[in-house]
Each structure stands twice: as structure tokens, then as C-alpha cells.
Amino acid sequence: MDTEDEARPQIRTFTEQDREAVMALAPRLTEGVAQWRDPSAVLRAVTQWVTDSLERANSADGAVFVGEVRGRVVGAVTVATRRHSTGEVDAYVGELVVASGDSRHGVGSALMAAAEDWGRARGLARLSLETGAANTIARGFYEKLGYEAEDVRLSRRL
């Protein structure tokens, strides 16, 4: 029987040994994308985003944190700096992903807390991120953490 501590997510800095496990999570980032987008193109895009973030992992301008439960990588968050159109520099979450079987167990919240701490440690005032309008589960999750909508992108078939 697992103790509560064994089931609690442990957050740590990404290492190269985590690459395969993090890349295996990337397809979850295709969930909640607008139905008119080509699923294979979305998968290629999210795979490239994660690959690019892992290449910049733990640099001066970015970090990747992984969440483990019972020694298994079940989530990851990528964070970097990004200049807002106002000129202000924010911490920016490029990707947050949690394995489907481990959702709603505190992994995502713990990973977001790590990203927020990363931004605070750099003296940044805000953390921003983007998610799809159709991704109602993610939007609800972020709203519960206190995130508010700032920009809206609209799309129309031509």
C-alpha cells in the first residue's frame, strides 16, 4: 500500500535522462485544440515545441521541471522569459503536460508552482501562458490557480 508521501508529486529540474519520458507526454498537448486544425500538424507542432524547450532546458533564460510520482516522470513544465508587447518581461510557460492517469492529483499545480518560483527568483512580476479556447479543462485549471484571460485570438475559415 502506498503512503501519502509516495503518491505526492516530487518536482525537480529536468535532466537529459528525462528526455524520453517527457517526449512521450507531448501528444497530450494535442488535446483541446480547435476541431478544424489538422491533428497530424498539431502533433508535429507540439512535438517540436517540446523538443525546442528541452534544448533550452535549464539555461539562463529558461528551465524545465519534471513531476515524478513513485519515481516515474508523469509531468513537465517549460518556462522561459518572454517580452510582452508592452515591453515588460514575463515568465512564460510554453508547455505544461501531465500524463492522463495522473491528472487531478496535484502534479500540474506543483509544476506551475515551480514555474512561478522560477519567475519570482528572477524578479519577474508576471507569469503568462497560452492555451486553446477549446481546451476547457486546461482553462478551468488555470482559472482555479488565479490566471485571467488577457488576449483572445479569433479565427475564421476563408
Side-chain angles (χ1 to χ4, degrees):
M1 192 159 204
D2 289 330
T3 68
E4 189 175 315
D5 285 343
E6 289 174 325
R8 183 175 294 132
Q10 302 299 310
I11 307 303
R12 62 172 176 76
T13 302
F14 168 86
T15 66
E16 194 56 39
Q17 290 77 20
D18 301 319
R19 183 177 292 273
E20 185 176 336
V22 172
M23 292 305 300
L25 295 170
R28 282 246 32 228
L29 295 168
T30 66
E31 297 175 16
V33 174
Q35 64 185 8
W36 57 83
R37 296 294 179 187
D38 175 5
S40 61
V42 171
L43 180 59
R44 281 192 307 276
V46 301
T47 300
Q48 190 62 57
W49 297 340
V50 174
T51 299
D52 291 347
S53 291
L54 296 183
E55 292 304 315
R56 293 187 307 272
N58 312 321
S59 66
D61 295 330
V64 178
F65 298 99
V66 296
E68 286 185 327
V69 174
R70 295 177 204 90
R72 182 175 56 94
V73 173
V74 297
V77 64
T78 68
V79 61
T81 57
R82 186 176 197 185
R83 188 168 302 280
H84 186 268
S85 59
T86 62
E88 187 176 3
V89 176
D90 295 339
Y92 177 78
V93 166
E95 299 87 27
L96 170 68
V97 61
V98 175
S100 60
D102 294 281
S103 292
R104 302 182 190 268
H105 291 92
V107 178
S109 296
L111 286 165
M112 287 300 293
E116 291 170 1
D117 289 344
W118 183 91
R120 274 189 214 95
R122 280 150 186 78
L124 302 174
R126 300 196 68 79
L127 183 133
S128 62
L129 57 90
E130 298 170 10
T131 192
N135 196 345
T136 56
I137 292 171
R139 291 179 64 193
F141 167 76
Y142 293 124
E143 286 172 11
K144 284 181 184 175
L145 292 179
Y147 288 82
E148 300 173 293
E150 181 175 4
D151 297 315
V152 176
R153 181 186 329 180
L154 302 175
S155 173
R156 177 181 172 188
R157 178 176 288 288
L158 300 177

